[in-house]
Structure formats: structure tokens, C-alpha cells
Amino acid sequence: MQLFPELQKSYTADKLSAREAQRLAEFIAWGPVVFQASRLMIKFGILDLIRDSQNGLTRQEICEQTKLSDYAVKCLLEASLSIGTVIIDTETDRFSLSKTGWFLLNDPATRVNIDFNHDVNYEGWFLLEESLRNGKPEGLRHFGDWPTIYPGLSSLPEQVQKSWFGFDHFYSDSSFPEALKLIFDEHHVKSLYDVGGNTGKWALQCVGYDDDVQVTILDLPQQIALMRDNVKGKTGADRISGYGINLLDKDAFFPKREGGLDAIWMSQFLDCFSMEEIIDILTRAKEAMTSETRIYIMETLWDRQRFEPAAFCLTMTSLYFTALANGNSKMYNTEDMEHCIREAGLEIETIHDHLGQGHSILVCKLAS
């Protein structure tokens, strides 16, 4: 396995002292309540109040401003001391934010991850064991009777939808500006298939960036309906079309475009499938290509991350796919993705790293 430098440092040697390792083991054992207590410190506004205070706050001052009982505030503050999100001045009994508390409160990625894990994943992860054993998203059942989460997205409770799309869009949106430059300024794409285009957010970015590009979104019929509602009346919507397709249907082929196709775009898409399914999808995509067509695969490959916290988030996200999304996919590394591309009869032309929140774009062409 090849790892980027920071991951090589973190994942190839055991650097903790025995005491540090013991504490981390206990942190893991109490992980569910660490998460919920920290989430409530945000939801109740306690961390906000402490951050915005001049010299920290006493427990009594927090009670007065939140209207929570002394018991509730005491439990949360004492837990947060142990978690490491607040610190206390023992002479004044005033609480202030630690560096960890500051990131918990202010880092956009962390806030998105908290909402995603609480609203979408938390209950479902109780069935992670069954999901791993059965290869099915057993944790999805409390939302509905779907084989995967994707046909059920439009039927999820409103807050769950909000957190799911918030998570999905946060990570992809940060990469859009650099991706647009690559596709339109460097490669001059005029016709593009957006595979798994969801609500049409990327398609709108494309038609807004280039006045000549024609975009066709390939997705489930339910998602195409959502997309049409979302893009209606917006700039460039007349150059966005939809093509309903079940991408897991081995007999469902990509439409061939008269005059040829410049690009096939797959953003945070292939991680929704098993490696066998990825090979099949890419093989069918290949049938719509010419020698001039390029497939742009944008993924957060965990082994290519510049900083270790990003790799941590990605490997944990794999277990969302296990328990909630589909039961058989994950956040892949470069070796896995290269294998799928090669088996589909394609080859990687170039790789562009460090776009937005840790994305890479693999530019693929027909194999020589």
C-alpha cells in the first residue's frame, strides 16, 4: 500500500505511550456518549456562550443564560472537561474553550460531520455488525424498506435529507472551482454526461461556467425528477437534460451521443458501489466513449490525503456505506480504483490531487 507522507508517519508506527494508549482505548469505549455530550454542548449553545465571553463563564452563569438546570450543565461541563473540549480556571471556576472545543464549534467540516452522523447514521450503526456479516445496509431499515439509501433519498425525513445532502455537497462543492477550470479551461469540454448527478448542482455549475456546454444527467428516475425541479428556471437549465437509468442494471447502457462525447463526469459516485459494480459501470460507460472522450473520476481517496484527520474521516465514512448506504461500498484507496479502471479496459491518463476538501480527479481514457 502506498500512502501520502503524513499518513505514512501516522499509520506505520505506534507512537503513543502506554498511558496515552490506555486513555484512547477508554475514549473509544465511551465514544457514543462522547459524541452526544459534545453535540449537545453545541445544540444548547454552551460552547457558543463560552467562546463569546470575555473571560470564560462559571457554571451558574451558563445555567442563567441557557435556562438549563444546574444538574444538566454540571454533567455536560464535567464530561466536556474529560473529553477535552473545555478547560477550567480552578481559581475562578470559569470555563473556557480548548483548541479542540474551538474546532468542534467552528470547523465547517466538523459541524457537517456531526449533523450527518447524528441525523443519518447514529441509529443505523447499531446494526453495523449485521451489515458487515450480510453485505447489506441493515441499519437503513428504520428509515424505510429500500435495498440502498439512494432510491429512498426523496422520502427520508426532512432533517435527515438536509444532513445527508449537506454532507454530500460540502465535500464536493469545495472542489468545484478547481474542477471547472480543469474541464473547461484546460480540456475545453462541450458535451458532458454527469453520472449520478443528484439534484443537478454540478450541472448548474457547468452551464454557468461555460455558455456552450450541454450536460446530460444520468441517474435514477426519482433523482431525475428532483433534479428537474431544482434546476427549473435557473440560468442554463435549457442546456441540462436528464436520462433515467438504474446504473446497477447490467443491461442499462449509457446513451451514445451523436457526434461524439467529450466527457463523462463521476463525482463522489463510484464510492457508492462495490468494486465489482464499479468495473461493470465503467465497462458500460466505455461503450459511449470515443478515443477523444475522457472520464473524470473525482473521489476523496483516503490514501492520497495531505493531512491525517481527513483520512480518518474517510475511513469512518466507509462504515456509513456499510450500515446505511448499500452494504458493499467504501471510500477507496488509489490501488483499488486503479484496479477497477484497468479491469474495465481503461487507463489513467493523469491524476490531479488536493482539490478542495481532499479530492483527487483521475482522468481516464480508453486503454491503448
Side-chain angles (χ1 to χ4, degrees), residues 27-325:
F27 203 85
I28 294 168
W30 291 96
V33 74
V34 168
F35 173 80
Q36 290 295 355
S38 301
R39 184 184 71 86
L40 292 175
M41 287 286 284
I42 297 171
K43 182 175 182 178
F44 293 154
I46 297 173
L47 292 184
D48 277 305
L49 290 170
I50 294 174
R51 177 195 60 190
D52 297 339
S53 64
Q54 190 71 25
N55 297 302
L57 294 174
T58 65
R59 190 176 79 241
Q60 291 73 21
E61 289 170 334
I62 293 171
C63 291
E64 290 169 6
Q65 294 187 55
T66 62
K67 308 304 180 187
L68 292 170
S69 70
D70 182 67
Y71 168 79
V73 171
K74 183 185 291 186
C75 285
L76 287 173
L77 285 174
E78 290 175 355
S80 297
L81 279 172
S82 297
I83 293 166
T85 54
V86 300
I87 55 177
I88 188 170
D89 183 328
T90 54
E91 292 185 3
T92 64
D93 282 345
R94 289 185 173 275
F95 293 87
S96 58
L97 283 188
S98 67
K99 293 184 183 73
T100 301
W102 189 93
F103 277 105
L104 186 69
L105 190 58
N106 295 293
D107 178 46
T110 302
R111 295 297 293 271
V112 165
N113 290 340
I114 287 172
D115 291 342
F116 180 62
N117 283 321
H118 178 67
D119 295 327
V120 181
N121 300 327
Y122 200 81
E123 293 179 83
W125 268 330
F126 190 78
L127 296 175
L128 178 60
E129 179 181 347
E130 290 85 344
S131 301
L132 288 165
R133 291 184 183 279
N134 301 336
K136 297 178 181 179
E138 304 292 3
L140 182 60
R141 67 176 71 144
H142 74 279
F143 285 133
D145 186 22
W146 307 295
T148 71
I149 200 170
Y150 307 108
L153 284 176
S154 60
S155 302
L156 292 173
E158 182 178 356
Q159 183 57 43
V160 178
Q161 282 192 45
K162 182 180 177 182
S163 295
W164 191 94
F165 282 109
F167 178 83
D168 184 65
H169 289 166
F170 176 82
Y171 286 98
S172 60
D173 289 4
S174 65
S175 305
F176 282 175
E178 294 163 276
L180 289 167
K181 290 178 182 178
L182 171 67
I183 289 176
F184 295 108
D185 294 350
E186 295 185 31
H187 293 188
H188 309 293
V189 165
K190 297 302 176 187
S191 57
L192 181 144
Y193 286 174
D194 180 5
V195 184
N198 271 330
T199 59
K201 200 162 188 178
W202 165 252
L204 285 169
Q205 294 274 332
C206 291
V207 297
Y209 193 89
D210 188 289
D211 291 336
D212 298 320
V213 67
Q214 300 284 334
V215 179
T216 302
I217 294 177
L218 280 62
D219 212 327
L220 292 166
Q222 303 97 309
Q223 288 302 117
I224 296 296
L226 283 176
M227 176 276 293
R228 286 183 174 136
D229 287 341
N230 188 55
V231 305
K232 188 176 180 180
K234 295 179 180 176
T235 302
D238 59 316
R239 289 181 284 120
I240 300 173
S241 59
Y243 184 86
I245 182 173
N246 178 359
L247 291 153
L248 285 176
D249 183 350
K250 295 179 181 295
D251 295 321
F253 287 90
F254 288 37
K256 290 192 175 181
R257 188 176 188 276
E258 187 176 349
L261 177 67
D262 291 335
I264 299 174
W265 172 255
M266 298 180 177
S267 172
Q268 293 185 177
F269 170 72
L270 294 180
D271 54 46
C272 300
F273 303 96
S274 69
M275 290 180 67
E276 293 79 9
E277 290 166 341
I278 292 172
I279 294 168
D280 180 66
I281 290 168
L282 290 176
T283 300
R284 284 182 282 129
K286 184 180 67 174
E287 298 303 312
M289 297 174 65
T290 69
S291 60
E292 302 301 315
T293 309
R294 296 294 181 267
I295 297 182
Y296 297 84
I297 299 172
M298 188 165 83
E299 290 287 345
T300 43
L301 301 167
W302 71 259
D303 61 319
R304 303 183 77 85
Q305 297 306 302
R306 188 181 302 176
F307 303 113
E308 194 279 332
F312 172 81
C313 291
L314 293 172
T315 56
M316 295 301 106
T317 301
S318 288
L319 298 177
Y320 145 75
F321 285 108
T322 305
L324 274 298

